Amino acid sequence: MNKIPLFWPQIYKSEWLESLSKVFDTRWLGQGPLVGQFEKEFGEKFGYNYCLAVNSGSSALELAYHLIGIGPGDEVISTCFTCTATNLPLVRRGAKIVFADINDNLLIDYDDVAKKVTPKTKAIVVVTLGGLPVDERIFDLAKSLKIPVVLDAAQSLGVFEKRGDYICHSFQAIKHFTTGDGGMIILRKGDEYDRAKKLRWFGIDREAKKKVDFNCLVNREITMEIEEPGFKYHMADIAAALGLVGLKHTDEILDYRKSLCEHYAKNMPEHIRCVYGGSCWLFAILTNNRDATLDYLRDNGVECDLVQLRNDIFQVFGGKRQDLPNMNRLEGEYLYLPLHGNITFDNVDYITNLLCKQ
């Protein structure tokens, strides 16, 4: 029996090879003109003014937290249910994470956020888990209190991510389209964009270096200045070449994933609740018989998994289940089913037929 995999990358081999071939005809394997082109086309596609390409979605989050100035002891409200990449940078910065509960769609819960906001709240971090939109009231609340919101959009792509002070996308291998690995941080202000652009490359103003043609003879001491210690978060032209190809296919990617989700939902037995929407990166089901369902599907060739785990149980976040009623209720019910460009409607029919027979 051929197994139906849970994830599969979007691969455009012939187009990638053609795009990479052009890169290899230049001297720019690292950050060069294609990175700028990718940023420009991504912004035009999804309506962003300040796009900065980086080497991962995690780096985008790190930059956002740095720009806000999150440091030791700062309180940051974040969702308990997400990839640990959302919250690990906060631990490294010494922040005090205040975990918020989730709602019935597995997303951060507005009511719990509103209850946990205090004058000490430095930022709110929200996640478009599985591609679903975050409750708009959170953005309204944060704006009224002048609290910055970081939108971890690693699992979504341009469908509704129009709010948030910092938007962080991911192009990791299995995302909607991939650059091998990579990310994009969207800024709202020009001055923060300029600062982030320097921070991406050690804190060096590469534009200033270009003005002297990278020529140390113009100034025999230095060709650039460093005012703030930065990082090595830049994207390479090799990655941008892959991204430019994937960007052309986003409409078909999103449409196909949406149609697969709708086909799942239409044929799902009534006792199982489906959770999907937005840019449809994940398709979740909620069932009281979760563990038996997981084993049953795997025994019949369907790869399925939990994908995400509540963060508070990891030792690095405290290692103890917190008093989060919805998270406590739902953690034994959710399961993610295969959803990607390499499965067919027949595959979906096979999976839903199994669930109907269970």
Side-chain angles (χ1 to χ4, degrees), residues 79-326:
T79 177
C80 179
F81 190 55
T82 180
C83 174
T84 55
T86 305
N87 292 318
L88 284 172
L90 295 172
V91 174
R92 283 194 293 272
R93 303 189 76 82
K96 177 185 177 183
I97 301 175
V98 179
F99 282 123
D101 205 353
I102 59 173
N103 59 28
D104 284 342
N105 285 330
L106 308 176
L107 302 170
I108 192 168
D109 180 67
Y110 166 76
D111 291 328
D112 202 40
V113 170
K115 183 173 67 174
K116 290 177 175 174
V117 168
T118 75
K120 295 181 180 180
T121 302
K122 184 81 170 183
I124 299 172
V125 181
V126 297
V127 181
T128 54
L129 190 75
L132 278 78
V134 173
D135 192 322
E136 288 282 330
R137 293 177 296 171
I138 295 176
F139 299 108
D140 295 332
L141 174 67
K143 184 177 180 180
S144 69
L145 298 173
K146 298 182 179 179
I147 298 172
V149 176
V150 177
L151 179 63
D152 181 344
Q155 297 184 6
S156 54
L157 185 65
V159 176
F160 50 78
E161 304 88 347
K162 304 306 177 188
R163 301 192 67 180
D165 300 280
Y166 307 87
I167 303 174
C168 301
H169 288 286
S170 171
F171 312 120
Q172 180 259 354
I174 56 173
K175 293 304 193 296
H176 289 86
F177 72 86
T178 182
T179 58
D181 204 348
M184 188 83 74
I185 180 171
I186 312 303
L187 290 311
R188 300 304 193 186
K189 303 173 183 176
D191 58 344
E192 283 202 316
Y193 169 77
D194 292 338
R195 182 184 171 202
K197 195 172 184 179
K198 288 189 283 188
L199 286 169
R200 174 179 65 175
W201 182 257
F202 303 114
I204 295 173
D205 187 343
R206 289 166 63 95
E207 302 302 319
K209 288 185 70 176
K210 287 180 183 178
K211 290 178 181 178
V212 297
D213 197 26
F214 302 92
N215 185 359
C216 67
L217 296 179
V218 174
N219 181 333
R220 291 181 181 272
E221 294 179 355
I222 56 174
T223 59
M224 78 291 183
E225 186 55 89
I226 300 175
E227 298 171 348
E228 181 180 6
F231 311 91
K232 193 176 188 293
Y233 287 165
H234 66 287
M235 179 177 280
D237 266 23
I238 289 175
L242 303 184
L244 285 165
V245 170
L247 189 59
K248 293 188 300 183
H249 292 277
T250 53
D251 289 343
E252 67 192 61
I253 292 169
L254 292 168
D255 288 345
Y256 188 61
R257 297 179 81 96
K258 180 181 178 181
S259 62
L260 287 172
C261 287
E262 291 173 344
H263 198 67
Y264 263 126
K266 182 177 70 174
N267 295 287
M268 197 66 65
E270 290 185 1
H271 70 279
I272 292 178
R273 188 166 77 84
C274 304
V275 178
Y276 69 95
S279 52
C280 296
W281 190 71
L282 293 173
F283 185 90
I285 59 173
L286 296 175
T287 173
N288 293 327
N289 198 25
R290 194 273 306 279
D291 290 355
T293 299
L294 186 153
D295 291 336
Y296 169 67
L297 289 175
R298 286 182 173 179
D299 289 344
N300 284 277
V302 179
E303 187 180 3
C304 52
D305 209 327
L306 306 185
V307 183
Q308 322 289 351
L309 294 176
R310 59 185 300 167
N311 282 192
D312 57 352
I313 62 175
F314 290 95
Q315 184 176 350
V316 70
F317 299 118
K320 181 180 179 181
R321 280 177 171 79
Q322 297 191 13
D323 183 18
L324 303 170
N326 291 334

